[in-house]
Amino acid sequence: GVQTCALPILNFLYLNMIAFFISTVAQADSCRWPDTEAHATLAGQLVSLRYIDHIPQEELHAIVPAYIGKAKNGVYRYRIVYKSENPRGDLLNVSGLVVVPDTCENDYPLINWQHGTVVHNSRAPSQRHHLGRVEASQGFLVLSQDYIGYGASAGEVHPYGIASSYGRTGVDMILAFRQAVSQHLALKRDIFIQGYSEGGYGAFALQ
């Protein structure tokens, strides 16, 4: 009798696991923006926005500091490439990281996250994907530029400490991002600027 009922029970559990997996994947993709490419000829215009991954809310609990609490949502991560100018006025492709809550809202408060000094390109936001997870888990949309000399502009010399560079590429990232998601987000809420180390200087330059 045990053998005759075991197979239907196993089939039931298997089918429920498959249904749960499909439901989870569908939920994770429900708010995901499609990859976008554009023809850009001016600073502040979008070149591309490409999906990186989705981090579920449960995984984010482990990285949210105790004084903040727990993650309120999962997040999507994207790599953005856009046009900007170096201090000489040359037009070039630059890049950054976009981290957005997975809550399907049409607007979020935006944080422009200016990262600290990095030495290797692999540590840039769009390469390492580490910045903005905590903030986005609390309902903020986070943009973090790589700075000239990293990411898409890795062949350029990084203009360390030149205020106009941080300000120009930071503003151009916001403009290009608005272009990329104009059909998905209103972006009418507050913009906050956050930074530390070199990014602290960059934050002042961006104001």
Side-chain angles (χ1 to χ4, degrees):
V2 174
Q3 292 182 346
T4 58
C5 69
L7 186 57
I9 291 174
L10 289 175
N11 284 337
F12 174 79
L13 292 174
Y14 176 75
L15 290 173
N16 273 274
M17 288 175 63
I18 293 296
F20 174 77
F21 175 77
I22 293 174
S23 174
T24 301
V25 171
Q27 183 178 6
D29 286 341
S30 62
C31 306
R32 173 182 161 181
W33 301 324
D35 289 351
T36 303
E37 292 187 2
H39 178 64
T41 58
L42 299 172
Q45 292 183 342
L46 176 74
V47 174
S48 64
L49 181 72
R50 295 191 177 279
Y51 174 76
I52 299 172
D53 61 9
H54 173 258
I55 308 176
Q57 180 181 3
E58 295 74 19
E59 291 185 24
L60 290 169
H61 288 322
I63 68 168
V64 176
Y67 63 84
I68 292 179
K70 292 186 176 182
K72 297 178 181 178
N73 49 259
V75 303
Y76 294 106
R77 296 189 288 192
Y78 301 83
R79 183 175 189 258
I80 188 171
V81 179
Y82 58 101
K83 292 291 186 182
S84 192
E85 293 181 356
N86 62 21
R88 300 187 303 272
D90 301 323
L91 191 68
L92 73 166
N93 285 355
V94 292
S95 53
L97 178 68
V98 177
V99 191
V100 60
D102 64 359
T103 51
C104 301
E105 297 179 33
N106 68 352
D107 203 0
Y108 300 98
L110 189 154
I111 295 177
N112 191 290
W113 215 131
Q114 303 288 311
H115 69 84
T117 301
V118 297
V119 177
H120 300 290
N121 185 52
S122 62
R123 308 289 288 182
S126 76
Q127 307 300 306
R128 191 180 175 198
H129 313 153
H130 62 300
L131 292 181
R133 295 172 298 174
V134 172
E135 292 85 351
S137 78
Q138 303 301 305
F140 290 89
L141 190 157
V142 182
L143 305 182
S144 183
Q145 58 170 322
D146 288 331
Y147 302 150
I148 292 175
Y150 303 102
S153 61
E156 292 279 320
V157 174
H158 173 49
Y160 189 94
I162 299 179
S164 61
S165 176
Y166 303 103
R168 182 60 191 261
T169 53
V171 169
D172 285 341
M173 184 177 188
I174 295 173
L175 293 174
F177 178 72
R178 286 182 181 274
Q179 178 187 343
V181 300
S182 60
Q183 297 182 354
H184 310 288
L185 293 180
L187 291 179
K188 294 181 179 179
R189 298 180 65 177
D190 293 333
I191 297 178
F192 302 91
I193 303 174
Q194 174 178 330
Y196 72 95
S197 183
E198 180 183 358
Y201 178 75
F204 280 109
L206 184 57
Q207 292 184 71

